Amino acid sequence: MVSFRVDIDDLAAHQFRVTLTISQPPAEQRVSLPAWIPGSYLVREFARHLSGLQARQGGRDIVPEQLDKASWLLRCKGRAALVLSYRVYAFDTSVRAAFLDARRGFFNGTSLFLRVHGREASRQSVMFGALPKAWRVATAMRVCSAAGRGRPSYEAADYDELVDHPFELGEFWRGEFTARGVAHEFVVAGALPSFDGARLLADTQRLCEAQIDFWHGAPGRSRRSESKPPFDRYVFLLNTVGEGGGGLEHRASTALIASRSDLPRVGPDEQGDAYVRLLGLISHEYFHTWNVKRMRPDAFASIDFECENYTELLWFFEGFTSYYDDLFVLRAGLIDVPRYLKFVAAHLSQLLGTPGREVQSVAQASFDAWVKFYRADENTPNATVSYYTKGALIALALDLRLRGAAEPGGQGAAKPSTLDELMRALWARSAGGPISEADIVAELSKLGGNAHARALLEWVHGKAELPLPQLLERAGVAWQRDKPTLAQRLGLRVSESALTGVQIKQVLAGGAALAAGMCAGDEILACNGWRVRRLDEALLTTSAEHPDRLHWLVARDQRLLELKLQVPPASASGPSVSLSLADKASPRAAGLRRAWLGG
Ligand SMILES: [Zn+2]
């Protein structure tokens, strides 16, 4: 047995104390802390927050021998239990590590629990020492009934499971619902008093039921009795903050962060965009319970916690999940079709505004996630493409293709199918385990012949534009390019405010700003001799004779520079796209749209 006890060592100093007891250790026991947390593809070196490691066995001290940045060796004598004790500094406000202050605690096992080499397959238990009086504990880890004296302990079947159930500690709001017979719990920390918990529960329940029905069939005759969700209980852990967002998926829970103002409020029944985006995040992480936590890349068949685990398939596991997240908000009846199309248009605009889509394929972007997507900098939009955004649009294109939108007249089309059918076929093929690109291609070919598979491979491994304008038109959706903003015409991304003025964040490849010598980090002070505090103000400084001449004064590293450029004409189309229901859709296009989006 491997047992962990978690104590609060010092709230104000953000320190947990962990005591690890290993029964019957071998003569040489190696332990290590993971370098990364599954679902977030960056080596984060969690061991940098571990300190003061001590060990005792049978009443004697053992000096830990450090082997590398995250591993130690303990030389034991006899089979008496080995007891390790160490502190973990916890002040990371994300969902990926650990946090502790006077208000709340949160941790992932990858931050707190040493891996006991050779005992990964053993049962692992967790118990807590004294916690502040009003604090409670929330987690999807199984409560162990053998716990004594009122304080529960928790148990995981093995190390992989141990580190896949995050814990929330503190005073939090908690609600429950049942979805298709499965217990669900929703914990919200830090909410404002006006928070409408009943609304959040009701909307989340609809999302969960829609997804359970998607994977396992709707209640009634279509559901096979043996097909049910691969978890007995599911827990949403949402921490709300002043400003922030994010989520991380786990096998029976998810850790989420949202702004307090994103939560639904008691009173008016309007659905702000921020709340709809939160529902999209909830939907996204819940979908991962099937798509990446169980069905997963073959490279994740068994996780190596010590180093990068490379896969080319994140376009499928993140991108297709991103396609389905908003789609389920629509399918659950929480938004209407025009609003859904706005989310699709936002994805399209983001992709078309990223020059890196011509540099990298989504398969390469997946493989490089460890050094590119998760290490974003000012060059990111020029060098990389998001496997989330483009992956979601590939899912959309494939769904429309499968539904018959690839054939202009509909003659000679393969039997129409759907992406839903592909996902379920893959779920059955994988038995909830690893899959490869070849599996995806094989199931796709079964559904609709080789043409679909060939198209998918081109989109995934190539850099050409996706044929979405045509596909959407044949699905009764009108596509319109918006008038570009000045930033888009110049190829700039800036931050700006009346207080701080204009700062250049990114200069896009191929743009007028790059040609003029503008640089990330530049502060734009003036244009044509006039002070500007917002980029668009520059257009007010041009004269009738030279309507497109912008002479900039910028500050760079304490020096002032003058840079000159001609603005490309406003008539040129920008990267932003609007989508709407086409007024004059053919009966075939209207039928395809109804089958795809309902209503
Ligand atoms: Zn995701």
Side-chain angles (χ1 to χ4, degrees):
M1 185 79 180
V2 173
S3 318
F4 293 89
R5 178 188 158 109
V6 177
D7 284 277
I8 290 173
D9 189 71
D10 189 337
L11 272 183
H14 320 292
Q15 297 272 5
F16 284 109
R17 173 161 295 282
V18 182
T19 308
L20 161 59
T21 304
I22 306 163
S23 61
Q24 303 192 323
E28 295 194 344
Q29 178 65 64
R30 190 179 148 141
V31 296
S32 65
L33 204 62
W36 68 289
I37 180 165
S40 185
Y41 307 105
L42 176 68
V43 170
R44 294 181 190 274
E45 318 281 24
F46 297 118
R48 74 193 199 274
H49 294 308
L50 186 153
S51 67
L53 178 63
Q54 296 173 334
R56 281 180 74 77
Q57 189 203 19
R60 72 180 182 108
D61 290 333
I62 298 180
V63 179
E65 289 173 36
Q66 187 156 8
L67 303 175
D68 59 36
K69 63 188 178 184
S71 310
W72 292 264
L73 182 71
L74 293 311
R75 295 185 193 278
C76 301
K77 277 190 190 147
R79 305 308 301 271
L82 171 65
V83 181
L84 281 72
S85 168
Y86 50 96
R87 300 202 302 169
V88 174
Y89 176 69
F91 201 51
D92 182 314
T93 54
S94 80
V95 291
R96 303 156 183 147
F99 180 86
L100 181 66
D101 74 357
R103 196 174 52 80
R104 68 182 273 268
F106 169 83
F107 65 84
N108 289 287
T110 38
S111 282
L112 257 64
F113 300 142
L114 285 169
R115 180 161 68 93
V116 180
H117 292 225
R119 300 286 279 274
E120 291 91 341
S122 302
R123 281 186 299 139
Q124 323 253 329
S125 72
V126 179
M127 64 172 294
F128 288 90
L131 296 175
K133 211 165 157 209
W135 282 25
R136 291 182 294 169
V137 178
T139 181
M141 199 182 289
R142 197 169 65 83
V143 173
C144 180
S145 52
R149 290 189 306 250
R151 188 177 298 150
S153 71
Y154 302 84
E155 195 173 275
D158 52 34
Y159 185 77
D160 281 15
E161 188 192 339
L162 175 78
V163 298
D164 201 16
H165 294 300
F167 281 77
E168 174 74 26
L169 317 170
E171 298 177 63
F172 41 69
W173 180 93
R174 177 184 233 155
E176 290 173 350
F177 63 86
T178 302
R180 303 290 182 243
V182 179
H184 288 64
E185 188 177 327
F186 210 126
V187 164
V188 182
L192 291 165
S194 60
F195 158 54
D196 186 349
R199 173 88 180 279
L200 180 67
L201 286 186
D203 291 349
T204 304
Q205 182 182 27
R206 288 166 75 165
L207 283 170
C208 295
E209 287 176 347
Q211 292 197 15
I212 292 172
D213 293 350
F214 172 85
W215 292 105
H216 304 287
R221 61 195 161 81
S222 64
R223 176 178 287 175
R224 288 166 294 129
S225 57
E226 75 276 16
S227 180
K228 53 179 189 180
F231 45 87
D232 298 327
R233 187 170 77 94
Y234 190 92
V235 183
F236 294 91
L237 301 174
L238 169 61
N239 181 37
T240 60
V241 297
E243 206 168 308
L248 191 58
E249 67 276 7
H250 299 280
R251 67 183 64 190
S253 60
T254 176
L256 307 165
I257 291 182
S259 302
R260 292 187 179 94
S261 56
D262 296 352
L263 290 173
R265 259 162 288 180
V266 177
D269 197 33
E270 107 284 338
Q271 301 223 79
D273 278 348
Y275 178 51
V276 174
R277 278 196 295 272
L278 173 60
L279 291 173
L281 176 67
I282 290 167
S283 176
H284 181 99
E285 303 305 346
Y286 195 69
F287 197 80
H288 271 319
T289 318
W290 290 265
N291 196 41
V292 93
K293 292 311 303 187
R294 287 175 177 82
M295 185 158 76
R296 59 189 185 275
D298 43 4
F300 299 171
S302 75
I303 296 287
D304 185 339
F305 287 102
E306 298 194 355
C307 61
E308 292 85 349
N309 290 217
Y310 296 104
T311 174
E312 282 193 349
L313 289 176
L314 296 180
W315 58 267
F316 180 82
F317 290 98
E318 286 300 348
F320 280 40
T321 298
S322 295
Y323 173 60
Y324 276 108
D325 60 22
D326 290 335
L327 194 56
F328 271 107
V329 180
L330 174 75
R331 287 179 178 179
L334 300 170
I335 53 171
D336 59 14
V337 171
R339 197 149 183 198
Y340 172 71
L341 291 177
K342 272 193 190 172
F343 287 104
V344 178
H347 275 139
L348 276 166
S349 305
Q350 194 190 328
L351 178 66
L352 293 171
T354 303
R357 74 187 190 287
E358 295 169 357
V359 175
Q360 210 184 29
S361 70
V362 283
Q364 292 169 324
S366 300
F367 196 87
D368 269 347
W370 302 82
V371 293
K372 292 196 171 163
F373 186 83
Y374 276 92
R375 292 218 179 124
D377 60 23
E378 70 288 339
N379 193 44
T380 294
N382 294 330
T384 70
V385 65
S386 164
Y387 49 78
Y388 284 87
T389 308
K390 189 172 177 187
L393 292 170
I394 289 173
L396 166 63
L398 186 60
D399 199 6
L400 295 180
R401 212 179 188 287
L402 285 164
R403 289 170 186 275
E407 297 81 16
Q411 282 90 17
K415 184 175 148 288
S417 175
T418 63
L419 191 63
D420 296 1
E421 287 177 51
L422 176 67
M423 298 303 289
R424 287 190 286 261
L426 283 167
W427 176 252
R429 182 186 184 97
S430 72
I435 57 167
S436 65
E437 185 182 276
D439 291 315
I440 299 171
V441 166
E443 287 302 327
L444 189 53
S445 300
K446 270 197 231 165
L447 276 183
N450 293 333
H452 292 311
R454 269 199 308 276
L456 177 70
L457 291 174
E458 262 173 48
W459 299 337
V460 166
H461 293 281
K463 297 164 226 169
E465 302 290 4
L466 300 174
L468 277 167
Q470 305 87 304
L471 290 169
L472 284 165
E473 191 196 318
R474 289 183 207 133
V477 173
W479 161 300
Q480 189 195 322
R481 286 281 186 129
D482 300 339
K483 212 172 145 231
T485 63
L486 180 59
Q488 288 170 340
R489 285 163 70 191
L490 298 178
L492 278 181
R493 294 185 189 173
V494 301
S495 71
E496 56 187 5
S497 80
L499 209 63
T500 58
V502 188
Q503 299 269 354
I504 298 180
K505 293 292 166 195
Q506 285 158 332
V507 183
L508 299 182
L514 183 69
M518 289 182 145
C519 184
D522 284 356
E523 184 184 355
I524 293 179
L525 301 174
C527 187
N528 296 325
W530 294 84
R531 182 77 171 102
V532 291
R533 291 186 183 278
R534 293 192 185 275
L535 192 69
D536 282 340
E537 289 174 359
L539 287 177
L540 304 175
T541 69
T542 56
S543 66
E545 305 148 79
H546 304 291
D548 52 1
R549 192 168 77 185
L550 302 181
H551 286 189
W552 303 97
L553 182 66
V554 307
R556 181 185 304 168
D557 186 27
Q558 291 194 309
R559 289 170 205 246
L560 297 183
L561 291 172
E562 285 185 54
L563 302 171
K564 297 178 183 176
L565 63 75
Q566 301 280 115
V567 199
S571 56
S573 63
S576 292
V577 170
S578 296
L579 300 178
S580 56
L581 298 175
D583 296 333
K584 292 185 189 126
S586 68
R588 179 181 141 80
L592 204 156
R593 188 176 73 202
R594 254 194 318 279
W596 169 39
L597 298 176

